[in-house]
Structure formats: structure tokens, C-alpha cells
Amino acid sequence: MNALITDVDDKEYVFLISNNSGESSSILDLHLHRDIWPEVNYSTTIRLKSTTLPSLPKVHQLDERDYQALIMDTQGSELLVLKGAIPVLKAFLFIKTEVPDFEAYTGCC
């Protein structure tokens, strides 16, 4: 399944698709990411509606008990995912996320 997970349901975002096979695609603009990878840029965009992690199982008829870990690499929007997931975070045994020590994407945590 493909879904844009953030902190709110049904908000429309412009999803920025990168020219490196989509690896740097995000809802956030590139910022200091450009200093390290100057060859990466956004080549196209699509509009997507967001959902929250608690809403995802309901929409796709999943059993949350089947998932013990939350692993995130969402290109700067990890904090948005976590904020929207507060009601279900205690159900995970493990949470792993990528967090840069610089502002790779504009406005990232």
C-alpha cells in the first residue's frame, strides 16, 4: 500500500518527487540536503491527501496487532508521523527513525 502519513487526515500536500529514483522525495523542500548532494533536485510533483497512522489500518482493514515495529525514513517528516501516531505509539515494541543533525529539508525536525 502507498500512503502519505502525517499528523492529520485528509490534508492535501504537494509531494515533491526527486530525480534520484525518488529516494529524496518529500513533502518538504530540499534545504541543506543540496550542500551534500547538489545533483539531487525535484523533477516533478503530485498532489496527495494525507492520513495518520491510526487511520491507516481502518482504511485498509489491517489488524494493528500484526505490527510490532514502526520504522521511519520519511525525508524530514518523521516528527509529523509521530505526532499523528500518538494514540497508537504504545502498541509498538520498537520505533526506529532516521533523524539528521542538520536541516536537510526545509522545516524538518
Side-chain angles (χ1 to χ4, degrees):
M1 88 189 64
N2 291 314
L4 173 61
I5 308 295
T6 67
D7 58 336
V8 294
D9 286 314
D10 297 318
K11 180 177 177 183
E12 188 172 284
Y13 286 87
V14 174
F15 188 72
L16 307 157
I17 301 171
S18 64
N19 65 340
N20 59 347
S21 300
E23 292 178 16
S24 299
S25 300
S26 180
I27 59 172
L28 304 173
D29 278 324
L30 295 170
H31 186 49
L32 297 178
H33 185 288
R34 294 175 197 252
D35 294 345
I36 299 170
W37 300 282
E39 69 281 1
V40 175
N41 57 65
Y42 293 134
S43 56
T44 189
T45 64
I46 57 174
R47 293 192 175 277
L48 298 173
K49 281 205 174 181
S50 65
T51 189
T52 60
L53 204 54
S55 296
L56 193 66
K58 296 171 190 163
V59 172
H60 293 281
Q61 297 157 347
L62 303 171
D63 186 346
E64 304 96 9
R65 296 171 294 181
D66 290 339
Y67 302 92
Q68 296 181 335
L70 172 62
I71 301 170
M72 295 181 292
D73 183 356
T74 63
Q75 305 313 108
S77 62
E78 290 84 358
L79 186 56
L80 293 177
V81 174
L82 289 171
K83 284 180 177 180
I86 289 172
V88 297
L89 288 180
K90 63 184 174 189
F92 293 107
L93 297 176
F94 307 98
I95 297 174
K96 179 180 177 181
T97 186
E98 178 182 76
V99 179
D101 59 355
F102 63 101
E103 193 177 357
Y105 295 84
T106 303
C108 71
C109 59

